Amino acid sequence: MAEIKDPENTVIIELKDGPVVIELLPDVAPKHAERMKELARAGKYDNVAFHRVIDGFMAQTGDVEHANMENNYNPGRAGTGGSDLPDLPAEFSRLPHDRGTLGAARSMNPNSANSQFFINFKDNHFLNGQYTVYGRVIEGMEHVDKIVRGEPPANPDRMISVKVAADVQ
């Protein structure tokens, strides 16, 4: 496992092919980092589908309302929901959307991010300054690369579990 410098601000996403370790960036986007930890600790991200996966672009997940594959999964609505928490204000920074960075998914309103996020498959600098970057994959990007593609995928992959590293023994 990667060296985890700050377990309180590190998230481990278990995928079918293995763990993905994400270093959150609370100094850059504190509200987004805190939201991810809050939803992970509540188990809200467990079994949530990757509902929009575009080859050469990104893998999107985190619709805790409609994309939980074990609880009222609705593939037709996956990607349209969020959590029961309020939307977050944009926390734009100078950090680029490089391969492996975590971006906050949102509607056209920059202040509409809630629970959904995406992981960039490659450098997507055209997103810079338009979507909040709040984490980066520090280990397991090869597992992200194996996520089934589609909008939505016919048989989507899911986040089996999402845990804050500080909570894992």
Side-chain angles (χ1 to χ4, degrees):
M1 184 85 69
E3 181 190 344
I4 295 174
K5 299 180 180 112
D6 182 1
E8 180 56 31
N9 288 297
T10 304
V11 172
I12 301 167
I13 301 174
E14 193 65 42
L15 299 181
K16 71 180 187 319
D17 292 305
V20 178
V21 181
I22 295 173
E23 173 185 63
L24 297 176
L25 305 170
D27 52 330
V28 175
K31 290 177 174 65
H32 285 76
E34 192 57 42
R35 174 64 54 86
M36 182 162 214
K37 293 189 298 184
E38 183 177 357
L39 292 172
R41 284 189 162 125
K44 299 285 187 181
Y45 282 132
D46 296 354
N47 293 304
V48 172
F50 283 90
H51 65 270
R52 183 171 177 245
V53 186
I54 303 171
D55 199 34
F57 181 31
M58 57 89 219
Q60 186 172 333
T61 185
D63 181 348
V64 301
E65 185 178 0
H66 302 298
N68 183 324
M69 296 180 74
E70 298 295 321
N71 184 15
N72 297 321
Y73 177 56
N74 185 337
R77 301 229 26 223
T80 64
S83 73
D84 55 3
L85 301 170
D87 288 347
L88 297 168
E91 295 179 295
F92 298 152
S93 69
R94 294 188 174 276
L95 279 183
H97 281 265
D98 287 340
R99 173 173 163 75
T101 54
L102 198 72
R106 61 171 178 79
S107 70
M108 295 300 287
N109 177 348
N111 299 312
S112 64
N114 189 293
S115 63
Q116 292 189 46
F117 63 92
F118 58 91
I119 303 171
N120 288 294
F121 286 132
K122 67 178 191 68
D123 293 354
N124 290 313
H125 293 170
F126 67 94
L127 299 174
N128 293 353
Q130 299 179 63
Y131 293 84
T132 300
V133 174
Y134 65 102
R136 65 172 63 94
V137 174
I138 59 172
E139 184 178 292
M141 194 61 197
E142 68 276 16
H143 306 314
V144 174
D145 288 334
K146 293 178 184 172
I147 295 170
V148 174
R149 293 350 188 220
E151 295 184 72
N155 295 298
D157 283 332
R158 69 179 77 183
M159 297 184 287
I160 296 166
S161 71
V162 181
K163 305 272 185 255
V164 177
D167 302 339
V168 178
Q169 299 302 329

